[in-house]
Amino acid sequence: MLSSQTVTHTVKDRAAYSIQETAQILGVSPDSVRRWIYRGELPAYRYGTRVIRIDAKDLNTFRTPVIEER
């Protein structure tokens, strides 16, 4: 498990994130992340039978601002 010191709450310098890391970045529970994945709202990729990763580019797309900058 990651400590709050190791998570900067930004998406950078990594190709992909675990469900737990994604939850910490977004400030939600891992169950919320899983729900978004299974609804097709957040793209994720399975590696083998157990490992699921979210690409940084997909996470950045998911994190769109409520109000677009002008």
Side-chain angles (χ1 to χ4, degrees), residues 56-64:
K57 65 177 180 58
D58 293 325
L59 186 51
N60 277 324
T61 301
F62 187 76
R63 293 175 40 151
T64 56

Side-chain angles (χ1 to χ4, degrees), residues 1-69:
M1 180 184 278
L2 295 174
S3 72
S4 61
Q5 295 174 343
T6 61
V7 177
T8 60
H9 299 288
T10 59
V11 180
K12 62 180 181 178
D13 302 329
R14 300 257 316 262
Y17 294 87
S18 69
I19 289 174
Q20 181 68 33
E21 291 168 326
T22 300
Q24 289 179 339
I25 289 168
L26 296 175
V28 299
S29 74
D31 286 339
S32 292
V33 174
R34 285 186 193 91
R35 195 168 32 255
W36 294 331
I37 290 168
Y38 293 119
R39 286 181 186 164
E41 298 171 16
L42 178 62
Y45 304 90
R46 186 175 297 278
Y47 297 88
T49 58
R50 296 181 53 105
V51 177
I52 296 175
R53 294 289 181 260
I54 296 92
D55 282 353
K57 65 177 180 58
D58 293 325
L59 186 51
N60 277 324
T61 301
F62 187 76
R63 293 175 40 151
T64 56
V66 173
I67 299 173
E68 295 292 326
E69 292 184 30

